[in-house]
Amino acid sequence: MSGNLYIVSAPSGAGKTSLVAALLKADPLVRKSVSFTTRGPRAGEVNGREYNFVSVDEFERMRAAGEFVESALVHGNHYGTSHKWMSARLAEGQDILLEIDWQGAAQVRRVNPAAVTIFILPPSYEALRERLTGRATDAAEIIAQRLANAREEITHVLDFDYVIINEDFDRAARELAAVVVAQRSTRASQQARNGALIDQLRNPASG
């Protein structure tokens, strides 16, 4: 049995984190991978919940040891996903979601081509600017850098399987949940999860 792997990417400020949180609350069958990062925790973040916060030296040690299935430098900070943790959960049949950038998505897909990739877009660059400014968590120069990076990130949108435009949050949340439900209903997913039942129904005992 093997679980489904979902990758959700977006430029900073598109609403990815909030949409993923809504999905996890609505669907207990999906489990989010907690990435390792060298950036410091923001207000309200807890080590081991939002991220595993580590030093640059520890991150580099882990990367050199091949512990990450993907890693990337984003906005000056390193991020990485544990290969061992992800592989073990998928082998157990657990659905796993990775909230990572487009670089990480490309790396993971080389290892796991069956991964379902989803890109979240803002309705406009102006909306993106307003959201980043409204968060009031970053300095003006950081916001400017995030907007510049967003233009590069969005050029990779066509590399993804699904695209969701987060103009209306509730609608976007429903669309993200629909992707997860649809993937579970594919022939390959059902065969992996319910192969014995399908075989029994296809070849009922004569009697």
Side-chain angles (χ1 to χ4, degrees), residues 145-193:
Q145 185 60 56
R146 289 182 184 274
L147 284 170
N149 291 343
R151 295 184 182 277
E152 163 63 20
E153 292 164 355
I154 290 173
T155 64
H156 298 276
V157 64
L158 299 184
D159 297 333
F160 288 72
D161 299 317
Y162 295 90
V163 178
I164 295 173
I165 299 174
N166 184 19
E167 181 172 12
D168 177 88
F169 181 84
D170 290 339
R171 183 176 63 201
R174 289 194 299 270
E175 291 175 354
L176 179 57
V179 170
V180 172
V181 172
Q183 180 61 25
R184 289 198 188 118
S185 300
T186 64
R187 182 182 62 198
S189 292
Q190 289 287 29
Q191 182 66 33
R193 294 174 184 267

Side-chain angles (χ1 to χ4, degrees), residues 80-124:
T81 299
S82 169
H83 197 316
K84 182 178 180 180
W85 185 92
M86 186 190 79
S87 298
R89 301 294 85 74
L90 290 172
E92 294 168 355
Q94 176 78 57
D95 283 351
I96 298 299
L97 184 147
L98 305 184
E99 186 182 337
I100 55 180
D101 82 321
W102 67 269
Q103 302 172 75
Q107 293 175 50
V108 173
R109 212 163 197 186
R110 285 195 288 269
V111 177
N112 192 327
V116 179
T117 57
I118 307 156
F119 200 91
I120 309 296
L121 283 175
S124 67

Side-chain angles (χ1 to χ4, degrees), residues 3-205:
N4 293 314
L5 178 61
Y6 303 95
I7 299 174
V8 181
S9 301
S12 180
K16 166 173 55 72
T17 298
S18 296
L19 286 171
V20 166
L23 173 65
L24 297 176
K25 182 178 180 180
D27 192 335
L29 297 179
V30 179
R31 185 173 179 182
K32 180 176 177 287
S33 172
V34 180
S35 297
F36 287 81
T37 183
T38 59
R39 81 158 170 79
R42 293 173 179 157
E45 291 183 334
V46 177
N47 186 42
R49 186 180 67 186
E50 282 79 17
Y51 290 96
N52 293 304
F53 298 99
V54 297
S55 67
V56 174
D57 287 345
E58 175 64 9
F59 190 95
E60 293 293 356
R61 182 201 65 77
M62 295 175 71
R63 180 161 58 186
E67 295 184 25
F68 296 132
V69 66
E70 62 83 24
S71 63
L73 180 65
V74 183
H75 306 309
N77 297 299
H78 295 281
Y79 295 82
T81 299
S82 169
H83 197 316
K84 182 178 180 180
W85 185 92
M86 186 190 79
S87 298
R89 301 294 85 74
L90 290 172
E92 294 168 355
Q94 176 78 57
D95 283 351
I96 298 299
L97 184 147
L98 305 184
E99 186 182 337
I100 55 180
D101 82 321
W102 67 269
Q103 302 172 75
Q107 293 175 50
V108 173
R109 212 163 197 186
R110 285 195 288 269
V111 177
N112 192 327
V116 179
T117 57
I118 307 156
F119 200 91
I120 309 296
L121 283 175
S124 67
Y125 278 109
E126 182 56 36
L128 192 66
R129 181 181 296 105
E130 291 176 357
R131 291 174 185 178
L132 287 171
T133 304
R135 291 198 309 199
T137 57
D138 297 312
E141 59 270 21
I142 294 178
I143 292 174
Q145 185 60 56
R146 289 182 184 274
L147 284 170
N149 291 343
R151 295 184 182 277
E152 163 63 20
E153 292 164 355
I154 290 173
T155 64
H156 298 276
V157 64
L158 299 184
D159 297 333
F160 288 72
D161 299 317
Y162 295 90
V163 178
I164 295 173
I165 299 174
N166 184 19
E167 181 172 12
D168 177 88
F169 181 84
D170 290 339
R171 183 176 63 201
R174 289 194 299 270
E175 291 175 354
L176 179 57
V179 170
V180 172
V181 172
Q183 180 61 25
R184 289 198 188 118
S185 300
T186 64
R187 182 182 62 198
S189 292
Q190 289 287 29
Q191 182 66 33
R193 294 174 184 267
N194 299 293
L197 172 62
I198 292 173
D199 289 343
Q200 181 184 24
L201 293 172
R202 290 181 65 239
N203 301 288

